[in-house]
């Protein structure tokens, strides 16, 4: 019987250790994240919306691998009762294994119960490839504002929200449901803190100083503001707009890579520091 290959990389496989400084590593990762956003925005079908969260398909993850000079290889596919199990690895141009993973596709999953064998076999390979890529490069989509899990790893990806076709914006209306929902949440945060409407722009100008109107924010920026509005308002009330902006500048990645979670974590850290500081 052929001995099963270990899924744990050997010492030789992980021998290459970066000697770049953390600042250099972040700069390179930020560059890749910006390039990823550009690719996904121009190509169709690389992004899936699932329960309001943005996930990337395996083709987008393969683009990330290309940024690193690597590719993904399916090593094996086996049938196990009503499932297929595949193993894949991410390899460099010189053959070094960067990561390995295995994944399955089973008839126990409602979406795959009645599908032909070849489709299950194919999906098992796709999932294994996506998982191996995630193990190696999850930090890039996170910096770009996407979820760290490939769409193919989610069972519900086959029967939940699909990317919606673009529709022209009605005159005076919102471009998407996301915009409208974000505005509602942002307005609720303003109301909760008795924040006057004529000073609403100060909340997002802590992050994007040159944007004068809500409608000039991108849908992603609107989502970031709506998620972090409560904490941003508290930070502005505590320090003022310009000092708050300076404090955040030291903690945040480039502005086009911000996510709601990143901003909330940074502001929470500053507010905790304020609370811990002796009077």
């Amino acid at each position: 019987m052929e001995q099963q290959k270990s899924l744990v990389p050997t010492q030789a496989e992980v021998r290459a250790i970066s000697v770049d400084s953390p600042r250099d590593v972040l700069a390179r990762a930020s560059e890749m994240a910006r390039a990823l956003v550009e690719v996904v925005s121009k190509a169709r079908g690389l992004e899936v919306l699932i329960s309001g969260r943005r996930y990337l398909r395996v083709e987008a993850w393969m683009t990330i691998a290309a940024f690193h000079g690597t590719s993904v290889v399916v090593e094996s596919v086996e049938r196990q009762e009503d499932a297929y199990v595949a193993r894949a690895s991410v390899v460099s141009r010189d053959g070094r294994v960067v990561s390995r993973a295995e994944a399955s596709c089973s008839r126990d999953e409602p979406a795959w119960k009645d599908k032909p064998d070849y489709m299950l076999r194919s999906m098992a390979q796709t999932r294994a490839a996506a998982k191996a890529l995630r193990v190696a490069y999850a930090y890039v989509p996170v910096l770009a504002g996407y979820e760290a899990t490939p769409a193919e790893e989610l069972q519900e990806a086959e029967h939940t929200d699909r990317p919606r076709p673009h529709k022209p914006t009605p005159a005076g209306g919102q471009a998407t449901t996301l915009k409208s929902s974000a505005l509602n949440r942002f307005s609720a945060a303003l109301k909760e803190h008795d924040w006057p409407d004529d000073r609403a722009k100060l909340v997002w100008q802590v992050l994007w100083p040159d944007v004068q109107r809500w409608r000039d924010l991108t849908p992603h920026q609107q989502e970031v503001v709506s998620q972090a509005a409560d904490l941003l308002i508290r930070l502005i009330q505590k320090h003022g707009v310009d000092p708050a902006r300076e404090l955040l500048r030291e903690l945040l990645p480039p502005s086009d890579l911000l996510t709601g979670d990143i901003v909330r974590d940074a502001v929470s850290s500053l507010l905790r520091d304020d609370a811990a500081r002796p009077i």
Side-chain angles (χ1 to χ4, degrees):
M1 177 181 296
E2 183 180 353
Q3 185 175 5
Q4 181 175 324
K5 186 180 292 185
S6 170
L7 298 181
V8 179
T10 65
Q11 290 284 344
E13 291 168 344
V14 295
R15 66 184 179 277
I17 300 176
S18 172
V19 294
D20 293 334
S21 71
R23 187 176 296 277
D24 291 336
V25 172
L26 180 58
R28 173 62 176 152
S30 299
E31 180 184 2
M32 287 188 285
R34 283 191 289 269
L36 178 64
V37 170
E38 183 176 354
V39 170
V40 174
S41 65
K42 291 181 178 180
R44 302 183 66 176
L46 295 183
E47 179 183 355
V48 179
L49 189 66
I50 302 174
S51 301
R53 294 180 178 272
R54 304 164 69 202
Y55 296 84
L56 296 177
R57 292 192 182 277
V58 67
E59 293 83 1
W61 287 87
M62 293 171 71
T63 300
I64 298 172
F67 292 163
H68 291 82
T70 61
S71 58
V72 64
V73 177
V74 176
E75 297 177 343
S76 65
V77 188
E78 300 175 2
R79 180 165 186 170
Q80 298 181 2
E81 297 182 355
D82 288 334
Y84 282 92
V85 178
R87 297 177 180 86
S89 61
V90 176
V91 296
S92 63
R93 292 191 181 101
D94 61 2
R96 179 174 56 88
V97 176
V98 177
S99 67
R100 282 198 179 103
E102 71 174 25
S104 65
C105 186
S106 169
R107 295 195 184 280
D108 290 341
E109 302 174 43
W112 295 94
K113 181 178 180 181
D114 300 319
K115 298 290 177 65
D117 274 9
Y118 78 89
M119 293 184 68
L120 273 72
R121 182 184 178 91
S122 177
M123 179 51 71
Q125 295 177 71
T126 299
R127 288 177 176 175
K131 190 171 184 178
L133 291 163
R134 173 176 63 82
V135 169
Y137 306 126
Y139 65 94
V140 177
V142 169
L143 279 175
Y146 304 102
E147 296 298 317
T149 304
E152 288 80 3
E153 283 196 50
L154 301 179
Q155 180 176 325
E156 62 268 31
E158 290 299 313
H159 47 85
T160 51
D161 304 343
R162 303 284 183 175
R164 298 177 178 84
H166 175 74
K167 296 181 180 180
T169 305
Q174 299 295 333
T176 64
T177 302
L178 179 62
K179 276 191 175 183
S180 178
S181 175
L183 179 57
N184 289 339
R185 282 181 274 124
F186 178 60
S187 298
L190 297 180
K191 184 176 181 180
E192 180 181 351
H193 289 274
D194 294 323
W195 192 266
D197 290 342
D198 60 356
R199 300 182 71 234
K201 66 180 181 181
L202 299 180
V203 180
W204 67 73
Q205 285 182 338
V206 171
L207 305 175
W208 298 285
D210 297 330
V211 181
Q212 298 296 319
R213 299 175 299 181
W214 173 265
R215 66 187 181 188
D216 292 333
L217 294 166
T218 67
H220 178 65
Q221 288 173 334
Q222 291 180 357
E223 187 66 15
V224 170
V225 173
S226 71
Q227 291 178 17
D230 175 69
L231 292 175
L232 287 172
I233 291 171
R234 289 170 54 191
L235 187 68
I236 294 171
Q237 289 173 332
K238 183 76 174 180
H239 294 281
V241 177
D242 291 337
R245 184 183 299 126
E246 290 300 317
L247 289 169
L248 287 172
R249 186 173 297 170
E250 299 296 321
L251 298 177
L252 295 176
S255 60
D256 55 339
L257 299 179
L258 296 179
T259 67
D261 287 341
I262 289 174
V263 175
R264 288 184 63 85
D265 288 346
V267 178
S268 295
S269 174
L270 291 172
L271 293 174
R272 283 196 300 270
D273 290 346
D274 286 342
R277 191 174 295 116
I279 300 176

